[in-house]
Amino acid sequence: MERMKMYWLAVCLMLACAEASKILVVFPLPSRSHGNLGDGVVKHLLNAGHEVTYISPFPYKNAPPTLRTIDVSKNFDIMPMDIMSIKTIMDSRISLDSMGFMLYMMVEMMRHTIQTEGVNKLLNDPKEEFDLVIAEWMFTDVPAGFASVFDCPLIWLSSVEVHWMILQLVDQPTNPAYTVDIMSAYTPPLNFWQRANELWNQVKIKFLNFVWLDGVQERAFNELIHPIILKRGRKPPTFDESRYNASLLLSNAYISTAASIALPQNHKFIGGYHIDEEVKPMSAELKKIMDNAKHGVVYFSMGSNLKSKDMPEELKKSLLQMFGTLKQTVLWKFEDKMENLPSNVHILDWAPQQAILSHPNLAVFVTHGGLLSTTESVHFGVPIIGIPVFADQFLNVVKAVNKGFAQRVDLSYSMADKLKEAIIEVTSNKRYAEKAKELSLIHHDRPVKPGVEMVHWVNHVIKTRGAPHLRSPALHVPFYQKMYLDLAAVLVILFLAGRVLLRKICAAVCSKKKSGSQKKNN
Ligand SMILES: *[C@@H]1O[C@H](CO)[C@@H](O)[C@H](O)[C@H]1NC(C)=O
């Protein structure tokens, strides 16, 4: 009996060991929200028993023995997040809309990442092996090189709802007649001009890639990745062979808010996976404030990159004054000291956001509309007021407004009055809160939780060595074949040739007739 038990124990251990894989997780962007998404992936992989190596600019506290972090915090040097203060953006001293600049920056960031000492050592050590690479896709395909170095499957993780630029890596670009670009503020159904605009946008970026950015990426790939693979004694793949080779595309979104479009089989929604199953409790002090808020709580946070303390002075003052006139309790995530606070306003230099959002007294969340914040508001069923500042925040807020659980207020020096109106509207009109609850229900009504879904597909890709059966047949069919342009060309040629032939025949017949009748006349 005892031996039987030992036997089963051994079998279980073997199975457990067999299931543990070595996974490289690549999230080098020096931005807290992207760091949170990377941390979420790592958390689930570790819980599933995998051995994780994590390239991240954020040091990990209390790393378990199965986690090794490779610090790329030097990336902060080339991506000075402090230029992105609310004031500089308001005074528009920097343009964040320039797609070309953004894509270029991202390639530079990847170059910097690969050249960082720890990463360089990892890549150049022939003893290092991985079963899988999971990399965040952030406007550059260069991270595909990690999987090529270790000759293993690649999974892209999209920090935002998937869009045409990333889908073309595993399937094909979406149709701009009914899907919009990640930076677009339109929501389908599109009118004539919007449709034309979306098409123009795709054409423009494709053109930019063709004449400039693909070259920049390819040079970086050849220069950084090729020598490493050669050193490992293999023939380096071309950049295209590497970047169009992903097994899976995970997207940090869910159809509660994402567009319900046809997607390839190797795309999986895992939106919400970064949110802890059990919300960490807030401090007793904060809990007391929220518990005692008779008229509800307004929670105001501009996220982790944008700091409220960097707002222009006059804006800070007018907001504070306006908050003082509200009957609700206001929690403002503000990273500095503030004098003369009205009695209903409380400043938090760090906010336990998920705990606040899950509190029943929360009436509205005033946010910059970052994807994590909007995802969390849907997760907890809280209506929002969005003040978008840059990048996908406009789209997130527009979508939330169209979904019916949000109001939008534009960032400006004089926005306090508008914000007050919006707060009154959202807290007094029940429809916003009801809609948020309804979307929350959709968001949670899935067969399994997003973290479980992610681990399942990660394991599936490892078990099936890259899940080739999930790949879209559209990926390697060129545009002209999809559009049957070759067939059209053949038909046109046949038609033209036919016409020429007919003319010739006709001419021959006619001239015979003519000459025949001429003969008769003679
Ligand atoms: C392509 O993916 C497969 C697994 O799906 C992997 O074994 C191979 O090394 C990859 N090739 C390149 C060039 O990345």
Side-chain angles (χ1 to χ4, degrees), residues 82-209:
D82 48 352
I83 61 167
M84 283 196 333
S85 85
I86 295 181
K87 186 159 172 26
T88 36
I89 291 169
M90 285 179 75
D91 299 343
S92 57
R93 266 185 269 143
I94 44 171
S95 163
L96 291 156
D97 297 338
S98 161
M99 199 60 167
F101 173 71
M102 163 117 153
L103 303 194
Y104 186 79
M105 274 300 285
M106 290 300 159
V107 181
E108 280 309 294
M109 199 252 324
M110 277 320 299
R111 178 189 289 277
H112 207 258
T113 301
I114 293 173
Q115 286 172 337
T116 302
E117 198 194 327
V119 179
N120 201 23
K121 221 170 99 195
L122 178 88
L123 292 172
N124 279 297
D125 184 348
K127 286 201 286 297
E128 294 285 357
E129 295 289 346
F130 289 99
D131 301 304
L132 176 72
V133 169
I134 302 180
E136 179 181 22
W137 188 86
M138 203 46 204
F139 299 103
T140 163
D141 310 333
V142 175
F146 285 98
S148 300
V149 166
F150 298 110
D151 199 13
C152 67
L154 167 71
I155 295 181
W156 290 120
L157 191 140
S158 172
S159 42
V160 295
E161 175 185 352
V162 284
H163 47 95
W164 71 273
M165 272 189 261
I166 182 163
L167 278 167
Q168 67 186 359
L169 289 172
V170 297
D171 185 36
Q172 60 185 352
T174 51
N175 189 331
Y178 54 82
T179 59
V180 296
D181 183 73
I182 186 62
M183 302 291 184
S184 165
Y186 302 140
T187 314
L190 305 176
N191 65 28
F192 178 80
W193 286 115
Q194 293 170 337
R195 218 153 35 86
N197 214 317
E198 291 300 324
L199 176 64
W200 165 237
N201 189 52
Q202 277 200 15
V203 170
K204 189 178 66 187
I205 293 175
K206 280 245 174 206
F207 180 74
L208 260 184
N209 279 333

Side-chain angles (χ1 to χ4, degrees), residues 144-154 221 229 234-238 241-243 245-247 461 464-468 471:
F146 285 98
S148 300
V149 166
F150 298 110
D151 199 13
C152 67
L154 167 71
F221 181 87
I229 299 183
R234 278 184 284 122
K235 182 176 162 290
T238 64
E241 277 164 1
S242 177
R243 65 171 165 166
N245 189 37
S247 299
V461 166
T464 60
R465 293 179 186 276
R471 297 197 186 191

Side-chain angles (χ1 to χ4, degrees), residues 364-365 367 383-388 397 400-401 404-409 418 421-423 425-426 431-432:
V364 61
F365 174 20
T367 165
I384 64 173
I385 294 168
I387 310 173
V397 172
V401 170
F405 71 104
Q407 281 259 319
R408 170 177 169 172
V409 173
K418 288 264 162 52
E421 268 171 41
I423 290 174
E425 165 70 11
V426 174
R431 78 177 174 93
Y432 297 93

Side-chain angles (χ1 to χ4, degrees), residues 254-258 271-272 275 357 365 371-384 396 399-400 403 405 435-444 446:
Y254 191 62
I255 32 173
S256 43
T257 52
I275 301 174
L357 293 183
F365 174 20
L371 195 82
L372 296 197
S373 291
T374 40
T375 307
E376 287 166 17
S377 64
V378 171
H379 183 102
F380 294 106
V382 175
I384 64 173
N396 297 337
K399 271 200 292 193
K403 288 275 178 191
F405 71 104
K435 196 70 205 180
K437 290 268 172 311
E438 185 187 321
L439 290 175
S440 186
L441 188 144
I442 297 171
H443 193 75
H444 292 288
R446 321 186 201 185

